[in-house]
mmCIF file of all heavy atoms in Angstrom:
data_model
loop_
_atom_site.group_PDB
_atom_site.id
_atom_site.type_symbol
_atom_site.label_atom_id
_atom_site.label_comp_id
_atom_site.label_asym_id
_atom_site.label_seq_id
_atom_site.Cartn_x
_atom_site.Cartn_y
_atom_site.Cartn_z
ATOM 1 N N LYS A 416 -42.776 -49.861 -11.422
ATOM 2 C CA LYS A 416 -41.978 -49.713 -12.645
ATOM 3 C C LYS A 416 -40.765 -50.613 -12.671
ATOM 4 O O LYS A 416 -40.408 -51.167 -13.702
ATOM 5 C CB LYS A 416 -41.543 -48.259 -12.796
ATOM 6 C CG LYS A 416 -42.642 -47.269 -13.160
ATOM 7 C CD LYS A 416 -42.038 -45.877 -13.277
ATOM 8 C CE LYS A 416 -43.109 -44.832 -13.564
ATOM 9 N NZ LYS A 416 -42.538 -43.469 -13.626
ATOM 10 N N TYR A 417 -40.071 -50.716 -11.520
ATOM 11 C CA TYR A 417 -38.748 -51.326 -11.518
ATOM 12 C C TYR A 417 -38.716 -52.726 -10.911
ATOM 13 O O TYR A 417 -37.637 -53.208 -10.559
ATOM 14 C CB TYR A 417 -37.761 -50.419 -10.771
ATOM 15 C CG TYR A 417 -37.572 -49.075 -11.427
ATOM 16 C CD1 TYR A 417 -38.225 -47.948 -10.951
ATOM 17 C CD2 TYR A 417 -36.757 -48.943 -12.548
ATOM 18 C CE1 TYR A 417 -38.057 -46.701 -11.557
ATOM 19 C CE2 TYR A 417 -36.593 -47.721 -13.157
ATOM 20 C CZ TYR A 417 -37.234 -46.597 -12.675
ATOM 21 O OH TYR A 417 -37.071 -45.385 -13.284
ATOM 22 N N THR A 418 -39.845 -53.393 -10.778
ATOM 23 C CA THR A 418 -39.877 -54.771 -10.273
ATOM 24 C C THR A 418 -40.680 -55.638 -11.223
ATOM 25 O O THR A 418 -41.504 -55.138 -12.001
ATOM 26 C CB THR A 418 -40.505 -54.830 -8.859
ATOM 27 O OG1 THR A 418 -41.839 -54.259 -8.909
ATOM 28 C CG2 THR A 418 -39.674 -54.052 -7.845
ATOM 29 N N PRO A 419 -40.430 -56.951 -11.182
ATOM 30 C CA PRO A 419 -41.142 -57.841 -12.100
ATOM 31 C C PRO A 419 -42.644 -57.784 -11.873
ATOM 32 O O PRO A 419 -43.096 -57.619 -10.731
ATOM 33 C CB PRO A 419 -40.570 -59.227 -11.755
ATOM 34 C CG PRO A 419 -39.260 -58.949 -11.098
ATOM 35 C CD PRO A 419 -39.440 -57.657 -10.387
ATOM 36 N N PRO A 420 -43.449 -57.922 -12.920
ATOM 37 C CA PRO A 420 -44.917 -57.945 -12.761
ATOM 38 C C PRO A 420 -45.354 -59.059 -11.816
ATOM 39 O O PRO A 420 -44.822 -60.166 -11.841
ATOM 40 C CB PRO A 420 -45.425 -58.180 -14.185
ATOM 41 C CG PRO A 420 -44.314 -57.743 -15.066
ATOM 42 C CD PRO A 420 -43.053 -58.042 -14.344
ATOM 43 N N GLY A 421 -46.307 -58.743 -10.962
ATOM 44 C CA GLY A 421 -46.830 -59.726 -10.033
ATOM 45 C C GLY A 421 -46.058 -59.864 -8.742
ATOM 46 O O GLY A 421 -46.505 -60.539 -7.799
ATOM 47 N N SER A 422 -44.873 -59.243 -8.649
ATOM 48 C CA SER A 422 -44.097 -59.320 -7.396
ATOM 49 C C SER A 422 -44.759 -58.443 -6.340
ATOM 50 O O SER A 422 -45.315 -57.382 -6.651
ATOM 51 C CB SER A 422 -42.657 -58.899 -7.619
ATOM 52 O OG SER A 422 -42.615 -57.557 -8.063
ATOM 53 N N PRO A 423 -44.699 -58.837 -5.067
ATOM 54 C CA PRO A 423 -45.408 -58.096 -4.009
ATOM 55 C C PRO A 423 -44.699 -56.791 -3.647
ATOM 56 O O PRO A 423 -43.516 -56.590 -3.920
ATOM 57 C CB PRO A 423 -45.423 -59.065 -2.850
ATOM 58 C CG PRO A 423 -44.243 -59.938 -3.076
ATOM 59 C CD PRO A 423 -44.079 -60.071 -4.561
ATOM 60 N N ILE A 424 -45.453 -55.914 -3.009
ATOM 61 C CA ILE A 424 -44.945 -54.668 -2.459
ATOM 62 C C ILE A 424 -45.346 -54.632 -0.986
ATOM 63 O O ILE A 424 -46.517 -54.879 -0.651
ATOM 64 C CB ILE A 424 -45.505 -53.449 -3.194
ATOM 65 C CG1 ILE A 424 -45.062 -53.455 -4.656
ATOM 66 C CG2 ILE A 424 -45.060 -52.147 -2.524
ATOM 67 C CD1 ILE A 424 -45.708 -52.365 -5.496
ATOM 68 N N ASP A 425 -44.402 -54.340 -0.103
ATOM 69 C CA ASP A 425 -44.663 -54.304 1.335
ATOM 70 C C ASP A 425 -44.655 -52.854 1.819
ATOM 71 O O ASP A 425 -43.757 -52.075 1.488
ATOM 72 C CB ASP A 425 -43.602 -55.088 2.123
ATOM 73 C CG ASP A 425 -43.686 -56.580 1.817
ATOM 74 O OD1 ASP A 425 -44.731 -57.015 1.306
ATOM 75 O OD2 ASP A 425 -42.691 -57.293 2.089
ATOM 76 N N ILE A 426 -45.667 -52.526 2.616
ATOM 77 C CA ILE A 426 -45.749 -51.194 3.255
ATOM 78 C C ILE A 426 -45.887 -51.431 4.761
ATOM 79 O O ILE A 426 -46.833 -52.100 5.200
ATOM 80 C CB ILE A 426 -46.931 -50.379 2.739
ATOM 81 C CG1 ILE A 426 -46.835 -50.205 1.216
ATOM 82 C CG2 ILE A 426 -46.978 -49.012 3.417
ATOM 83 C CD1 ILE A 426 -48.030 -49.489 0.615
ATOM 84 N N SER A 427 -44.929 -50.916 5.513
ATOM 85 C CA SER A 427 -44.948 -51.124 6.967
ATOM 86 C C SER A 427 -44.668 -49.816 7.686
ATOM 87 O O SER A 427 -44.189 -48.849 7.097
ATOM 88 C CB SER A 427 -43.883 -52.168 7.373
ATOM 89 O OG SER A 427 -42.595 -51.715 7.035
ATOM 90 N N ALA A 428 -45.019 -49.825 8.981
ATOM 91 C CA ALA A 428 -44.775 -48.647 9.828
ATOM 92 C C ALA A 428 -44.351 -49.141 11.206
ATOM 93 O O ALA A 428 -44.772 -50.221 11.648
ATOM 94 C CB ALA A 428 -46.025 -47.771 9.927
ATOM 95 N N GLU A 429 -43.494 -48.369 11.844
ATOM 96 C CA GLU A 429 -43.050 -48.719 13.198
ATOM 97 C C GLU A 429 -42.786 -47.440 13.965
ATOM 98 O O GLU A 429 -42.492 -46.383 13.393
ATOM 99 C CB GLU A 429 -41.811 -49.592 13.162
ATOM 100 C CG GLU A 429 -40.625 -48.952 12.458
ATOM 101 C CD GLU A 429 -39.406 -49.850 12.449
ATOM 102 O OE1 GLU A 429 -39.180 -50.534 13.464
ATOM 103 O OE2 GLU A 429 -38.669 -49.876 11.435
ATOM 104 N N LEU A 430 -42.881 -47.566 15.273
ATOM 105 C CA LEU A 430 -42.673 -46.423 16.161
ATOM 106 C C LEU A 430 -41.264 -46.466 16.714
ATOM 107 O O LEU A 430 -40.864 -47.438 17.368
ATOM 108 C CB LEU A 430 -43.686 -46.465 17.307
ATOM 109 C CG LEU A 430 -43.647 -45.310 18.307
ATOM 110 C CD1 LEU A 430 -43.918 -43.980 17.611
ATOM 111 C CD2 LEU A 430 -44.665 -45.529 19.429
ATOM 112 N N LEU A 431 -40.469 -45.443 16.427
ATOM 113 C CA LEU A 431 -39.115 -45.320 16.958
ATOM 114 C C LEU A 431 -39.113 -44.306 18.085
ATOM 115 O O LEU A 431 -40.117 -43.605 18.329
ATOM 116 C CB LEU A 431 -38.175 -44.872 15.826
ATOM 117 C CG LEU A 431 -38.075 -45.844 14.624
ATOM 118 C CD1 LEU A 431 -37.105 -45.295 13.584
ATOM 119 C CD2 LEU A 431 -37.657 -47.243 15.077
ATOM 120 N N PRO A 432 -37.990 -44.161 18.819
ATOM 121 C CA PRO A 432 -37.979 -43.248 19.972
ATOM 122 C C PRO A 432 -38.405 -41.812 19.664
ATOM 123 O O PRO A 432 -39.082 -41.187 20.456
ATOM 124 C CB PRO A 432 -36.507 -43.303 20.434
ATOM 125 C CG PRO A 432 -36.041 -44.655 20.019
ATOM 126 C CD PRO A 432 -36.741 -44.957 18.743
ATOM 127 N N ALA A 433 -38.014 -41.296 18.502
ATOM 128 C CA ALA A 433 -38.334 -39.892 18.199
ATOM 129 C C ALA A 433 -39.093 -39.709 16.898
ATOM 130 O O ALA A 433 -39.451 -38.585 16.549
ATOM 131 C CB ALA A 433 -37.050 -39.043 18.164
ATOM 132 N N THR A 434 -39.298 -40.787 16.143
ATOM 133 C CA THR A 434 -39.948 -40.671 14.840
ATOM 134 C C THR A 434 -40.903 -41.825 14.606
ATOM 135 O O THR A 434 -40.873 -42.841 15.304
ATOM 136 C CB THR A 434 -38.891 -40.670 13.709
ATOM 137 O OG1 THR A 434 -38.179 -41.913 13.749
ATOM 138 C CG2 THR A 434 -37.923 -39.509 13.848
ATOM 139 N N VAL A 435 -41.747 -41.622 13.603
ATOM 140 C CA VAL A 435 -42.566 -42.709 13.056
ATOM 141 C C VAL A 435 -41.977 -43.046 11.696
ATOM 142 O O VAL A 435 -41.838 -42.162 10.834
ATOM 143 C CB VAL A 435 -44.041 -42.274 12.917
ATOM 144 C CG1 VAL A 435 -44.837 -43.362 12.196
ATOM 145 C CG2 VAL A 435 -44.637 -41.985 14.270
ATOM 146 N N ARG A 436 -41.615 -44.316 11.508
ATOM 147 C CA ARG A 436 -40.958 -44.731 10.261
ATOM 148 C C ARG A 436 -41.928 -45.466 9.366
ATOM 149 O O ARG A 436 -42.538 -46.477 9.762
ATOM 150 C CB ARG A 436 -39.742 -45.595 10.547
ATOM 151 C CG ARG A 436 -39.107 -46.218 9.297
ATOM 152 C CD ARG A 436 -37.791 -46.867 9.581
ATOM 153 N NE ARG A 436 -36.775 -45.860 9.887
ATOM 154 C CZ ARG A 436 -35.499 -46.184 10.203
ATOM 155 N NH1 ARG A 436 -35.119 -47.448 10.249
ATOM 156 N NH2 ARG A 436 -34.650 -45.227 10.457
ATOM 157 N N LEU A 437 -42.057 -44.989 8.132
ATOM 158 C CA LEU A 437 -42.828 -45.657 7.083
ATOM 159 C C LEU A 437 -41.843 -46.272 6.106
ATOM 160 O O LEU A 437 -40.888 -45.598 5.668
ATOM 161 C CB LEU A 437 -43.725 -44.665 6.349
ATOM 162 C CG LEU A 437 -45.056 -44.303 6.992
ATOM 163 C CD1 LEU A 437 -45.690 -43.145 6.222
ATOM 164 C CD2 LEU A 437 -45.976 -45.490 6.993
ATOM 165 N N THR A 438 -42.052 -47.545 5.727
ATOM 166 C CA THR A 438 -41.150 -48.246 4.827
ATOM 167 C C THR A 438 -41.934 -48.836 3.667
ATOM 168 O O THR A 438 -42.911 -49.536 3.887
ATOM 169 C CB THR A 438 -40.372 -49.357 5.551
ATOM 170 O OG1 THR A 438 -39.678 -48.800 6.665
ATOM 171 C CG2 THR A 438 -39.370 -50.018 4.610
ATOM 172 N N VAL A 439 -41.481 -48.520 2.441
ATOM 173 C CA VAL A 439 -42.043 -49.118 1.225
ATOM 174 C C VAL A 439 -40.929 -49.955 0.597
ATOM 175 O O VAL A 439 -39.887 -49.426 0.199
ATOM 176 C CB VAL A 439 -42.530 -48.046 0.239
ATOM 177 C CG1 VAL A 439 -43.066 -48.694 -1.049
ATOM 178 C CG2 VAL A 439 -43.605 -47.169 0.875
ATOM 179 N N SER A 440 -41.130 -51.282 0.545
ATOM 180 C CA SER A 440 -40.089 -52.189 0.030
ATOM 181 C C SER A 440 -40.683 -53.068 -1.069
ATOM 182 O O SER A 440 -41.891 -53.293 -1.127
ATOM 183 C CB SER A 440 -39.506 -53.043 1.147
ATOM 184 O OG SER A 440 -40.535 -53.738 1.834
ATOM 185 N N ASP A 441 -39.789 -53.547 -1.941
ATOM 186 C CA ASP A 441 -40.223 -54.398 -3.050
ATOM 187 C C ASP A 441 -39.344 -55.634 -3.128
ATOM 188 O O ASP A 441 -38.454 -55.851 -2.283
ATOM 189 C CB ASP A 441 -40.203 -53.619 -4.358
ATOM 190 C CG ASP A 441 -38.828 -53.047 -4.690
ATOM 191 O OD1 ASP A 441 -37.831 -53.797 -4.540
ATOM 192 O OD2 ASP A 441 -38.729 -51.865 -5.061
ATOM 193 N N TYR A 442 -39.561 -56.445 -4.157
ATOM 194 C CA TYR A 442 -38.810 -57.682 -4.350
ATOM 195 C C TYR A 442 -38.140 -57.676 -5.724
ATOM 196 O O TYR A 442 -38.107 -58.686 -6.411
ATOM 197 C CB TYR A 442 -39.754 -58.892 -4.215
ATOM 198 C CG TYR A 442 -40.191 -59.113 -2.776
ATOM 199 C CD1 TYR A 442 -41.231 -58.353 -2.238
ATOM 200 C CD2 TYR A 442 -39.566 -60.036 -1.956
ATOM 201 C CE1 TYR A 442 -41.651 -58.531 -0.930
ATOM 202 C CE2 TYR A 442 -39.980 -60.221 -0.631
ATOM 203 C CZ TYR A 442 -41.019 -59.459 -0.135
ATOM 204 O OH TYR A 442 -41.411 -59.632 1.176
ATOM 205 N N GLY A 443 -37.575 -56.525 -6.059
ATOM 206 C CA GLY A 443 -36.877 -56.402 -7.332
ATOM 207 C C GLY A 443 -35.380 -56.683 -7.192
ATOM 208 O O GLY A 443 -34.933 -57.356 -6.269
#
Side-chain angles (χ1 to χ4, degrees):
K416 289 179 183 178
Y417 297 101
T418 57
S422 61
I424 297 174
D425 294 342
I426 302 175
S427 62
E429 59 180 322
L430 182 61
L431 300 180
T434 61
V435 173
R436 172 170 290 180
L437 278 171
T438 304
V439 178
S440 55
D441 58 45
Y442 289 81

